[in-house]
Amino acid sequence: MIPSDLTHLHVPGTAALLPDGSAAVVAVTHPDLEADQYAGQLWLVPLDAADGAPRPLTRGFRDAAPVLSPDGRWIAFLRAPRRGVPQVYLVESTGGEPFALTDAPLGAAAPRFSPDGTRIAYLARVPEEGRYVKDGDPAAEPPRLITAAKYRADGLGFVRDRRQHVFVVDVPQQAPAAAPSVATARALTAGDLEVTDARWLPTGTHLVAIAAVHPGREHDLRQDAVLVDAFPDADGSPREPRPLTDAGAGSSLDVATAVPTSDGTALWLLAGDLGPDGRDFVAQLTGLYRLDLPVDLSSPEVRPAGVPRRLTDPETVDLAPGVLVPHRDGVLTSRLDRGAQHLVRFAPDGSARTVLGGPSVVTGVSVVEDRLVATVARPDSAGDLVLLDATTSGADPRQLTDLSAALRATGRVQRPRELTATAGDGYPVHGWVVVPEPSRHGVGPHPTILMIHGGPFAQYTHALFDEVQVLVEAGYAVVLGNPRGSAGYGRAHGKAIHGAFGTVDEQDVLALLDAALEDPALDADRVGVMGGSYGGYLTAWLTTRTHRFAAAIVERGFLDPVSFVGSSDIGWFFGLDYVGDHGDDAGAAAVAVQSPMAHVGAVRTPTLVIHSEQDWRCPVEQGQRWFVELQRRGVECELLLFPGEGHELTRSGRPKHREARFTHVLDWWFRHLPVQG
């Protein structure tokens, strides 16, 4: 890839299947460099080859999140203009002009049809009076009085003055002849709650959603599956959500996803167990749970018929939050496994079989009867739809789309080669190496860049990765992997750096690099290192420990655990639990041992610091202070700041900013690791 190839990254969302299983509707989104926005439309994808090729279904600037009505007549989706917020739109599946159903001031999200198809539930943020006024002056708003640590979130901003709630609108009997006024929305939740992931129960009288409603919610990370009444009180006011997992009664779960079983008698849950204090989040594996529901959901004192039963091993099985689809008496979900996300079907007794394995990253799934459509990314694809039989294991899927064809046609996509190394203590380290195309760059040896992922409890995957591809096309070999602390290799692997940042994780990334450098195509004398977030931490940490790197790029880094506590949106728990509490002499000493900032005086490596001005996850002060500390010690360094961006710049930042970042990254490496020829 070259920087402008970003426009070729066409990424599909989760497909919605027509009730007869004949076709899928999917949103396909791509960065539009000219508009400096993300554009996308809905596509109709026939499941049978005889029915033709995929074709556009809508013509909006950014259409997303399609869902089908139970009878297949209507498609509800989100439509956003070039400069504006998304609203719920409706269009007949046979065609016609879409029309708006909502006019939420801050936009709408996650539409879902009721079981009878007469209503649509959706999520929307409700601004406080006088705040977030369109074309208003934010600087003239009254001050915010903050009384709790949970008051902002990266990528969003302040949250307590614009809580997210569940709303419902009626579906019209027919498409309007002229442009209609939007439907009347009724709130189903209200107050100082943050409600997510609302899904209908089969009865249509209630929804199940996710929210923290327990008394200690300001001091822990637990979230409950809650029951939401689908009909307000007689005076129109919404009723209080009622907890089903019930952290207030002792549940230790952080529920990420809750989906009713096909018959509505129970819930499938994806959740992590945070222990008695509700804060034991480090390397907690997301597990599959099943919770039986009471027969009578109308009682004000409704209680679940028991406690959730964990069906997966808490030490070895980690599931992707958000991918959870009931199928007959079981459920389909996605399991993290050594850089893959495999599609797995679980039975009610917890037994599992892999439906789609291999070097696949499954990010979405839909099923009708036994026809299953999965959204899958692979080493040469940013994502495609594939068709499978939900009842079989290991069958070859039939690819329904080829959305990365234009990118591959450039000849600028190289496939990674898997690599396993051995750390100094004998521990195996898994990763990949990618080398430039020999016909354009020769056989080497190529200057080499070690890339380190964020998290740390995350993983590099088999999916096509634009950052790697841009570096390789420029003539660099890239080494990347999943050291201890990463996800996808079990709880012990992920927890190995708890209270021990910069120990075995340092060993692992260097062992992987050294193993890769045994290949004569890689130049062991010309090596750089780069990483973002936790990867920015480990990059900076390595430069305090060794001078072997010709240069480094420290991006959106976690660089000073002490100041992080007061400045990050997760500072009130993340560093305190991962590296320790600096509140006393012993704790401060333990934190300093793991802190790059405490050892910055040892750095001699030329460093480019990249940060976003509105990063609230790893606040900009972390990068600014690293830059200044290097500057005043005479270390060659530069600071690249992106206005208006948060922590997710490299994944969802403005397209022109992403392109500009690539240009600056390549310029830095060309100056410090010149490519021969």
Side-chain angles (χ1 to χ4, degrees):
M1 288 180 64
I2 59 176
S4 61
D5 282 340
L6 281 168
T7 58
H8 293 314
L9 290 177
H10 289 73
V11 179
T14 299
L17 296 187
L18 269 63
D20 62 2
S22 63
V25 177
V26 66
V28 180
T29 306
H30 71 280
D32 185 328
L33 286 168
E34 182 178 350
D36 199 20
Q37 293 282 320
Y38 290 85
Q41 291 77 42
L42 304 188
W43 285 69
L44 184 70
V45 182
L47 302 194
D48 296 308
D51 292 337
R55 60 185 183 273
L57 193 62
T58 63
R59 302 184 300 275
F61 179 73
R62 187 166 66 251
D63 296 339
V67 290
L68 270 294
S69 62
D71 62 3
R73 178 186 176 187
W74 295 107
I75 303 171
F77 64 98
L78 300 176
R79 168 167 286 183
R82 285 176 181 262
R83 296 283 186 262
V85 296
Q87 302 293 347
V88 178
Y89 273 68
L90 204 61
V91 66
E92 291 188 284
S93 59
T94 55
E97 189 63 30
F99 56 94
L101 281 184
T102 67
D103 188 21
L106 301 182
R112 298 189 190 278
F113 279 97
S114 63
D116 63 2
T118 62
R119 291 166 292 164
I120 293 176
Y122 64 95
L123 301 173
R125 294 196 171 275
V126 181
E128 283 184 357
E129 185 69 28
R131 295 200 190 276
Y132 309 105
V133 178
K134 186 178 181 181
D135 301 324
D137 182 3
E141 292 181 5
R144 291 177 173 86
L145 179 63
I146 308 299
T147 60
K150 298 180 183 181
Y151 67 92
R152 59 181 179 174
D154 183 72
L156 176 63
F158 296 102
V159 294
R160 302 190 79 101
D161 54 12
R162 47 175 162 181
R163 287 301 205 182
Q164 183 168 263
H165 288 290
V166 186
F167 292 81
V168 67
V169 292
D170 291 332
V171 175
Q173 298 264 331
Q174 58 187 12
S181 58
V182 296
T184 300
R186 300 182 298 278
L188 300 185
T189 61
D192 189 23
L193 297 174
E194 187 77 6
V195 186
T196 63
D197 200 38
R199 300 171 188 259
W200 293 91
L201 289 169
T203 59
T205 59
H206 298 84
L207 300 93
V208 61
I210 309 299
V213 297
H214 59 288
R217 61 182 179 271
E218 300 296 351
H219 307 290
D220 63 35
L221 302 172
R222 293 177 294 172
Q223 291 194 112
D224 278 318
V226 298
L227 191 68
V228 175
D229 287 277
F231 299 97
D233 282 333
D235 63 359
S237 60
R239 298 170 181 171
E240 290 287 332
R242 290 166 287 169
L244 293 172
T245 49
D246 207 350
S251 171
S252 56
L253 297 184
D254 173 19
V255 180
T257 311
V259 179
T261 56
S262 301
D263 61 7
T265 62
L267 295 179
W268 295 107
L269 306 174
L270 292 177
D273 189 335
L274 302 182
D277 67 355
R279 288 260 298 267
D280 184 12
F281 73 94
V282 174
Q284 283 291 352
L285 307 192
T286 298
L288 176 66
Y289 292 77
R290 186 180 169 103
L291 174 66
D292 292 333
L293 290 175
V295 175
D296 181 13
L297 296 176
S298 61
S299 168
E301 302 299 323
V302 64
R303 288 290 182 267
V307 297
R309 292 174 287 119
R310 186 163 190 152
L311 302 177
T312 54
D313 183 0
E315 298 296 321
T316 60
V317 178
D318 195 10
L319 304 176
V323 182
L324 190 63
V325 177
H327 177 245
R328 300 191 185 278
D329 64 340
V331 68
L332 295 154
T333 186
S334 182
R335 176 179 177 175
L336 281 64
D337 186 11
R338 295 176 57 83
Q341 285 185 201
H342 292 150
L343 182 60
V344 179
R345 186 185 189 279
F346 285 93
D349 62 2
S351 60
R353 61 176 177 81
T354 300
V355 179
L356 179 61
S360 302
V361 178
V362 176
T363 57
V365 61
S366 296
V367 63
V368 168
E369 296 298 333
D370 293 325
R371 305 198 92 183
L372 186 157
V373 172
T375 305
V376 186
R378 289 190 166 131
D380 62 352
S381 168
D384 278 299
L385 299 189
V386 301
L387 177 65
L388 296 136
D389 185 331
T391 64
T392 61
S393 298
D396 289 334
R398 181 164 68 82
Q399 189 164 322
L400 299 172
T401 63
D402 192 3
L403 301 174
S404 294
L407 179 60
R408 289 196 306 276
T410 66
R412 296 191 286 263
V413 174
Q414 303 302 316
R415 293 183 69 93
R417 171 172 58 87
E418 285 195 68
L419 179 69
T420 300
T422 303
D425 60 0
Y427 195 85
V429 189
H430 175 233
W432 298 264
V433 60
V434 196
V435 297
E437 169 59 43
S439 65
R440 291 195 298 280
H441 297 282
V443 296
H446 304 288
T448 300
I449 297 171
L450 171 65
M451 288 188 65
I452 306 173
H453 69 64
F457 196 58
Q459 63 168 355
Y460 279 135
T461 73
H462 294 283
L464 187 147
F465 189 15
D466 60 334
E467 297 191 55
V468 169
Q469 295 296 332
V470 167
L471 290 170
V472 172
E473 177 58 27
Y476 296 96
V478 179
V479 180
L480 66 162
N482 294 320
R484 276 170 279 189
S486 303
Y489 301 78
R491 179 160 162 77
H493 183 92
K495 201 166 183 176
I497 61 170
H498 186 200
F501 269 31
T503 59
V504 294
D505 46 350
E506 173 192 335
Q507 291 182 38
D508 288 358
V509 294
L510 293 179
L512 196 66
L513 174 63
D514 290 338
L517 291 175
E518 294 176 5
D519 185 339
L522 280 65
D523 192 336
D525 296 323
R526 293 189 297 149
V527 181
V529 60
M530 67 183 295
S533 195
Y534 161 78
Y537 164 90
L538 197 50
T539 296
W541 177 259
L542 287 170
T543 64
T544 72
R545 303 273 291 171
T546 178
H547 306 313
R548 71 181 289 184
F549 298 106
I553 297 179
V554 172
E555 189 163 11
R556 59 184 185 276
F558 169 63
L559 305 173
D560 185 353
V562 176
S563 64
F564 190 86
V565 170
S567 58
S568 168
D569 65 337
I570 60 171
W572 66 277
F573 68 89
F574 179 86
L576 296 173
D577 285 86
Y578 248 120
V579 302
D581 191 338
H582 56 273
D584 55 42
D585 290 344
V591 170
V593 168
Q594 304 168 75
S595 170
M597 196 66 73
H599 303 278
V600 67
V603 179
R604 301 291 182 270
T605 306
T607 302
L608 172 63
V609 180
I610 303 177
H611 228 105
S612 296
E613 292 181 358
Q614 294 184 20
D615 188 338
W616 284 9
R617 182 58 39 86
C618 291
V620 67
E621 59 88 12
Q622 300 270 303
Q624 290 168 325
R625 291 178 57 220
W626 192 253
F627 167 72
V628 169
E629 292 297 336
L630 296 184
Q631 278 271 321
R632 71 188 192 91
R633 288 168 170 80
V635 178
E636 181 189 352
C637 60
E638 297 175 3
L639 175 63
L640 179 64
L641 288 177
F642 283 89
E645 298 288 0
H647 199 64
E648 298 299 306
L649 164 66
T650 61
R651 294 174 279 266
S652 59
R654 295 173 75 105
K656 286 185 178 178
H657 279 167
R658 290 177 65 183
E659 182 184 40
R661 173 189 169 274
F662 277 141
T663 301
H664 282 277
V665 165
L666 292 177
D667 174 70
W668 178 260
W669 289 127
F670 288 153
R671 283 187 278 141
H672 293 88
L673 280 176
V675 174
Q676 303 299 316

